[in-house]
Amino acid sequence: MTQERTRALSDVLDRLEGSVHDEHIAVQEVLEKLGHKSFAALMLVFSLISTSPASAIPGITATVAVIVFILVVQMIAGRDCVWLPGFITRRHMSSAKLCKGIGWLRKPVSFVERFLKPRLTFLLHRPWLFLPLILILGLTLFMPFMEVIPTSGSLASAVIALFAAGLLTRDGALVVVSLILLLAVPVAAWQFGS
């Protein structure tokens, strides 16, 4: 029996693209479009922005690190609703660059979705979930410094995106892969920097 492939990641991109209506879009509008309970979707969107060509914009990796840090702290604390401070929700992004980034992500997301399915779902619950969350929290503290080393911030964001994709698609195997890569990111960043 063939299992129908998940479209959870494409759905997030569709909702994000559907929120674009002017030249610029506020982070608050993205939050409202994705939902105030969608920690994983928000983590995925912002980490994907930092892995896309938009990561070349100075400060984008640090901004994503701050947002992911705030989201992870709330997930560890067990909050039901996402809260982001006003200085983040009032920030605006270029709609054209956002749409370009979404277009750039469509093909890889569509490819990855073929392999994702619910499995090892016990890893997506406490206490198992604490280990990757704590590691991501640590990673976000170093991400602003990674802007000095080309592509290292994008690597860190890609790992966070994998973790968020695992949460969204209920794929514990993808969470395990992201955990292994999380442990490898500091080593890779050190090698690129040497």
Side-chain angles (χ1 to χ4, degrees):
M1 185 169 88
T2 312
Q3 183 170 355
E4 188 180 332
R5 74 182 187 95
T6 180
R7 277 197 40 86
L9 307 183
S10 294
D11 288 344
V12 169
L13 294 180
D14 292 344
R15 282 188 281 160
L16 185 59
E17 196 168 42
S19 67
V20 175
H21 53 84
D22 289 325
E23 278 187 38
H24 291 86
I25 181 170
V27 171
Q28 179 64 36
E29 292 174 86
V30 172
L31 180 61
E32 287 166 5
K33 193 68 176 182
L34 295 178
H36 287 274
K37 294 192 176 201
S38 51
F39 289 93
L42 286 165
M43 192 183 300
L44 177 70
V45 165
F46 287 108
S47 57
L48 285 176
I49 288 170
S50 187
T51 59
S52 75
S55 64
I57 300 166
I60 197 80
T61 301
T63 303
V64 167
V66 169
I67 293 170
V68 171
F69 179 88
I70 292 168
L71 292 172
V72 170
V73 165
Q74 292 176 71
M75 289 173 77
I76 290 171
R79 271 186 67 96
D80 291 331
C81 238
V82 173
W83 171 85
L84 290 174
F87 75 91
I88 292 175
T89 57
R90 286 190 298 269
R91 285 189 68 117
H92 285 77
M93 299 179 276
S94 161
S95 295
K97 286 182 181 172
L98 181 63
C99 288
K100 185 178 179 182
I102 291 169
W104 182 82
L105 292 166
R106 289 263 180 213
K107 218 175 232 181
V109 162
S110 180
F111 175 77
V112 168
E113 281 179 328
R114 290 188 229 169
F115 305 102
L116 303 179
K117 60 183 178 185
R119 57 187 154 193
L120 301 175
T121 54
F122 70 93
L123 293 172
L124 307 173
H125 302 284
R126 297 165 184 247
W128 303 102
L129 197 55
F130 283 128
L131 179 60
L133 286 174
I134 289 168
L135 288 173
I136 288 172
L137 203 61
L139 183 60
T140 60
L141 296 174
F142 290 101
M143 282 174 67
F145 304 107
M146 290 179 166
E147 289 203 34
V148 177
I149 305 166
T151 72
S152 64
S154 292
L155 288 173
S157 295
V159 172
I160 294 169
L162 282 177
F163 170 75
L167 285 181
L168 272 171
T169 58
R170 312 293 299 152
D171 193 337
L174 190 57
V175 170
V176 170
V177 169
S178 71
L179 184 59
I180 292 165
L181 293 173
L182 264 168
L183 296 170
V185 165
V187 176
W190 179 265
Q191 289 299 322
F192 280 125
S194 297

